[in-house]
Amino acid sequence: MSTTHPGHRASPCRDGNHYPSSAPGTRLLHSEAPAWYEFGLRLWFRFRLHDYNCVQRQTSSTMDLSGRKALVTGAGGGIGQSIVAALKAQRATVAGTDRIACAQSDISIVGDLTDPAFCDGLPQAAAQQLGGLDIVINNAGIIRRGPITEATDEDYAVSFAVNVEAPFRICRAAIPILAEAGGGAIVN
């Protein structure tokens, strides 16, 4: 015995359960429905529950970064400010860098990430001012909006310097500092 499911709505089957149809006019045998539908439903709930539990663990207030020292680029506003606030909420000491002073960070290092010398010395400066370095977050980034046909060579050079070269130089300078301290984390 089969049931025709009109449209995409669920229709009750012999066992009283509702099973969705995949297309208008789909015929589904009652004996087939529970096997595939229940299996898919179980998988979906298992993964959704797993995702929920992982998010709960990651966002729980049990994470403690006390004594950890972090460097955050682009900390003067937007996402960078939020990263600084999140790290401080977990009791980390934060050095923030941007072209403007970073009011929320414990230490503000003002500089320009298009300057290679600044990027090369930034992790060392942060480590000296913080008394060590455990976490580096390369958050800074820029984007020039508009058609690529109107982009200038300077637009490209500045975008490349901030989005590619600065994280490379900061990572290269930070890795020996983190390794000497026994390890750490870099987030790009």
Side-chain angles (χ1 to χ4, degrees), residues 1-2 13-14 28-36:
M1 176 175 232
S2 63
C13 288
R14 181 175 54 194
L28 188 62
L29 296 177
H30 291 290
S31 60
E32 294 173 345
W36 67 263

Side-chain angles (χ1 to χ4, degrees), residues 8 19 21 26 29 33 59 71 76 79-80 84 89 91 113 134 151 177:
H8 292 275
Y19 302 102
S21 66
T26 300
L29 296 177
T59 59
L71 168 63
I79 295 171
V84 169
R91 297 185 283 282
L113 293 179
D134 301 298
I177 296 168

Side-chain angles (χ1 to χ4, degrees), residues 91-113:
R91 297 185 283 282
T93 306
V94 182
T97 186
D98 210 320
R99 290 179 292 172
I100 59 171
C102 309
Q104 289 188 341
S105 59
D106 297 305
I107 296 167
S108 181
I109 303 172
V110 178
D112 186 0
L113 293 179

Side-chain angles (χ1 to χ4, degrees), residues 71 73 112-124 136 138 160-177 186 188:
L71 168 63
T73 66
D112 186 0
L113 293 179
T114 61
D115 178 11
F118 176 75
C119 294
D120 290 338
L122 182 60
Q124 185 63 40
V136 176
N138 286 307
F160 190 84
V162 174
N163 298 334
V164 178
E165 189 176 355
F168 164 75
R169 289 180 172 279
I170 292 168
C171 287
R172 184 175 64 183
I175 288 171
I177 296 168
I186 297 176
N188 287 316

